[in-house]
Amino acid sequence: MKKIILGSNSPRRRELLAGLGFPFTVDTDNSFEEVADPSMPHRLIPAAMAEGKSFGFHRPLSDDEVLVTADTMVLLGDVMLGKPRTHEEAISMLRALSGHTHEVITAVVIRDRDNCRRFEDITRVTFRELTDEEIEWYVDNCRPYDKAGAYGVQEWIGYAAITSIQGSFYNVMGLPVHKVYECLKDFMDL
């Protein structure tokens, strides 16, 4: 069997990939700088980031290795919501999401030395109206600074505020595992 390498620091991606039952290692050494071209359409950014992470990997892959990279973005209308840098930015993002439906786009690149597969998944998520107190409590207690859109679907806000998910729940966590599994089966010759 080939050795799978996850090129991501995300604890959620590690958890989700582990759930598929494939053994893997994590290696995030990379030369790619995650900066998008401002003229690029927002919907294309996750694919560009996932591809940059893959081909910016710090060394060539061996014959028996498969690299998995991904990038997730929250899109509210035409506004891209990345990871909040400050408490105020997290509050602002959650206020914007409150009472609205947004899209979560995750792009994945899986490759070995000879082959490369790229795909994405889009999930529509609807939030009920949140009070300022609920938003403050969530940000203060869950500290969602490492999450696109300033929230984790698997945390309190997912239980208490999300009224609808159209598409993959796991995609919202950061990895469309149903698609990753099918692709990895091909790479592993299963």
Side-chain angles (χ1 to χ4, degrees), residues 47-65:
M49 296 296 110
E51 189 166 307
K53 292 173 189 178
S54 182
F55 290 97
F57 193 64
H58 66 100
R59 62 174 175 78
L61 296 175
S62 301
D63 287 338
D64 64 343
E65 293 178 321

Side-chain angles (χ1 to χ4, degrees), residues 95 97-100 127-131 134-135 160-161 163:
R95 281 186 181 141
L97 294 172
S98 176
H100 295 98
F127 273 51
R128 68 167 172 79
E129 289 282 345
L130 294 162
T131 66
E134 289 171 321
I135 291 171
T163 61

Side-chain angles (χ1 to χ4, degrees), residues 2-163:
K2 291 186 177 179
K3 299 172 190 162
I4 298 171
I5 302 167
L6 176 62
S8 175
N9 277 320
S10 167
R12 290 158 302 282
R13 287 196 183 114
R14 287 182 202 160
E15 175 188 346
L16 293 171
L17 188 57
L20 293 179
F22 294 114
F24 66 94
T25 59
V26 175
D27 187 344
T28 59
D29 196 1
N30 202 302
S31 63
F32 178 67
E33 187 177 338
E34 291 186 55
V35 177
D37 177 349
S39 67
M40 179 181 293
H42 293 334
R43 292 185 174 283
L44 301 180
I45 291 173
M49 296 296 110
E51 189 166 307
K53 292 173 189 178
S54 182
F55 290 97
F57 193 64
H58 66 100
R59 62 174 175 78
L61 296 175
S62 301
D63 287 338
D64 64 343
E65 293 178 321
V66 175
L67 177 64
V68 178
T69 58
D71 193 75
T72 300
M73 177 182 72
V74 171
L75 192 59
L76 178 62
D78 291 332
V79 178
M80 182 177 69
L81 302 177
K83 296 174 184 174
R85 294 179 296 267
T86 65
H87 182 269
E88 293 74 26
E89 195 172 354
I91 297 288
S92 176
M93 286 183 186
L94 291 170
R95 281 186 181 141
L97 294 172
S98 176
H100 295 98
T101 299
H102 62 275
E103 293 181 327
V104 178
I105 303 169
T106 301
V108 180
V109 175
I110 299 177
R111 71 178 179 92
D112 61 16
R113 282 180 66 158
D114 302 316
N115 302 292
C116 181
R117 296 264 307 271
R118 301 161 177 89
F119 54 88
E120 71 175 18
D121 202 39
I122 300 174
T123 305
R124 293 177 54 81
V125 180
T126 302
F127 273 51
R128 68 167 172 79
E129 289 282 345
L130 294 162
T131 66
D132 284 345
E133 292 77 18
E134 289 171 321
I135 291 171
E136 289 272 354
W137 184 91
Y138 176 71
V139 173
D140 289 345
N141 288 280
C142 296
R143 308 190 54 74
Y145 303 112
D146 65 335
K147 297 171 180 74
Y151 78 92
V153 67
Q154 72 281 5
E155 297 173 341
W156 175 86
I157 207 158
Y159 300 127
I162 292 176
T163 61

Side-chain angles (χ1 to χ4, degrees), residues 153-178:
V153 67
Q154 72 281 5
E155 297 173 341
W156 175 86
I157 207 158
Y159 300 127
I162 292 176
T163 61
S164 172
I165 296 177
Q166 296 171 309
S168 169
F169 173 88
Y170 298 109
N171 183 53
V172 183
M173 281 182 68
L175 200 63
V177 287
H178 61 293

